[in-house]
């Protein structure tokens, strides 16, 4: 079992930045792929980014590539999502997720997520 707790959400203006954190506890010795998903009001769940435990290759959705950076500190069992140049369309609830693998978009499918965080709200105003 893995528990995921997000923090760092808030309200910013267009062009602003936020850093989300996701702290993992429980079975953190396993090599989980940690990912971020988001869900905007009235829309479906959207995969945002993922990073393996080794942290070598990050994966990003096209909508955030070049603006968001995912990283992780395994000593702290925490994954981060640095979000720069935020746009109103980035407004959503952001949820951390853990999957068995990052390869080939495996963790881009919500059906493959093993554990979910409770979410943190990000609001970007124009």
């Amino acid at each position: 079992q893995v528990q995921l707790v997000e923090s760092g959400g808030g309200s910013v203006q267009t062009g602003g930045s936020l850093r989300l954190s996701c702290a993992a506890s429980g079975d953190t010795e396993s090599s989980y792929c940690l990912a971020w998903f988001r869900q905007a009001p009235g829309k479906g769940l959207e995969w945002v980014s993922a990073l393996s435990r080794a942290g070598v290759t990050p994966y990003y959705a096209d909508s955030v590539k070049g603006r968001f950076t995912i990283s992780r500190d395994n000593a702290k069992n925490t994954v981060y999502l640095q979000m720069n140049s935020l746009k109103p369309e980035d407004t959503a609830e952001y949820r951390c997720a853990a999957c068995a693998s990052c390869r080939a978009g495996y963790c881009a499918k919500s059906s493959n997520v093993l554990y979910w965080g409770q979410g943190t709200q990000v609001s970007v105003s124009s």
Side-chain angles (χ1 to χ4, degrees):
Q1 289 285 331
V2 174
Q3 294 77 45
L4 303 171
V5 179
E6 303 95 333
S7 60
S11 298
V12 296
Q13 293 187 328
T14 297
S17 298
L18 284 173
R19 188 176 83 153
L20 305 183
S21 299
C22 173
S25 60
D27 182 17
T28 56
E29 293 303 313
S30 298
S31 298
Y32 291 109
C33 169
L34 294 180
W36 290 95
F37 287 77
R38 66 185 182 185
Q39 187 164 20
K43 296 189 176 180
L45 197 61
E46 177 190 15
W47 170 76
V48 175
S49 182
L51 186 64
S52 66
R53 180 173 175 82
V56 174
T57 304
Y59 302 90
Y60 299 102
D62 288 343
S63 58
V64 306
K65 201 172 293 183
R67 300 187 298 121
F68 290 11
T69 302
I70 191 170
S71 61
R72 64 192 289 171
D73 184 337
N74 290 330
K76 296 181 179 180
N77 296 319
T78 300
V79 64
Y80 305 97
L81 187 68
Q82 178 66 45
M83 306 185 296
N84 297 329
S85 301
L86 283 162
K87 306 174 182 180
E89 50 264 44
D90 294 318
T91 294
E93 180 182 63
Y94 284 72
R95 299 183 70 185
C96 182
C99 302
S101 172
C102 277
R103 294 184 177 180
Y106 184 84
C107 204
K109 299 178 181 179
S110 60
S111 57
N112 290 330
V113 172
L114 297 173
Y115 304 103
W116 290 99
Q118 84 288 352
T120 186
Q121 181 66 37
V122 171
S123 297
V124 185
S125 59
S126 57

